[in-house]
Amino acid sequence: MPWLLLVILLLAVMFLPSWWVRHVMRKYAQPEDRYEGTGAQLARSLLDRLGMEHVGVEETGQGDHYDPTEKMVRLSPDHFNGHSLTAVTVAAHEVGHAIQDFDGYRPLDVRTKLAVMGSGLSRVASLMVIAGPLAALLLRQPALSWVGLALGAGGILFAALLHLITLPVEFDASFGRAMPLLEKGKLLHENDYPHARKILRAAAMTYVAQALIGIATAWRWLRLPR
């Protein structure tokens, strides 16, 4: 029974944040015609107002994000073309990251460099997960198999820690950049501001959820029977 409760608790910790994020985003995606302009139009307007005409806005299928290398705010189709509170709030959040980049916000730069490093480590770890057991079989050294698994778990754990490191950057983009812009410009309906804050908190919680899933996955790998 204690093990069952532990498993239930672990599953709740891993998946409840993700469920809550999806729930909040869907809730405020209605009504679809809440605002006259789209998320893309709001992003473009904010960037131009701040003298950041060099930053582009485009639609993507890879999820909402700001690319500091390409100087591009990228929005998913629902948010690029959408007129909902979720669409315009998410667009403002990504503009917040563009402002961080424009201002030389150091934590964003550190996070970007770690992400590039993490991408390389992830590829090496994935290769070792495959190569480790194969080398162990060919060289008749079982320990090599566990080295590969440990490196794989390490790669997953690094990605999870990167998500946690990202949190301060996300909160600054949301509440240090996006919300002041929305409030000072009176860009939302008056009673929408509390709901916009919920959306921004939900956006940050995606990184908490991904970090928890990554940590749990790495722990499961390291706990495999030897």
Side-chain angles (χ1 to χ4, degrees), residues 38-40 58-64 74-83 87:
T38 65
E58 67 179 16
E59 186 175 343
T60 181
Q62 304 301 313
D64 305 291
R74 296 194 172 108
L75 300 172
S76 62
D78 287 346
H79 299 153
F80 187 90
N81 301 302
H83 296 257

Side-chain angles (χ1 to χ4, degrees), residues 19 29 31 37 51 53 118 120 127 138 145 149 156 160 162 170-171 186 195-196 204 211 217:
W19 172 86
E53 293 86 355
L127 178 62
L138 293 176
S145 177
L149 289 175
I156 294 173
L162 179 60
E170 292 297 311
F171 277 110
K186 300 186 183 302
H195 305 309
T217 303

Side-chain angles (χ1 to χ4, degrees), residues 204-217:
M205 282 299 293
T206 60
Y207 293 91
V208 175
Q210 291 169 3
L212 291 172
I213 292 172
I215 291 170
T217 303

Side-chain angles (χ1 to χ4, degrees), residues 74 92 99 165:
R74 296 194 172 108
I99 299 171
I165 292 170

Side-chain angles (χ1 to χ4, degrees), residues 95-131:
V95 170
H97 285 305
I99 299 171
Q100 289 175 331
D101 186 29
F102 187 72
D103 290 345
Y105 183 62
R106 181 63 178 165
L108 176 66
D109 183 52
V110 171
R111 190 267 171 198
T112 301
K113 290 178 179 177
L114 286 175
V116 173
M117 183 189 304
S119 177
L121 289 175
S122 177
R123 286 193 292 269
V124 172
S126 298
L127 178 62
M128 288 302 300
V129 168
I130 299 172

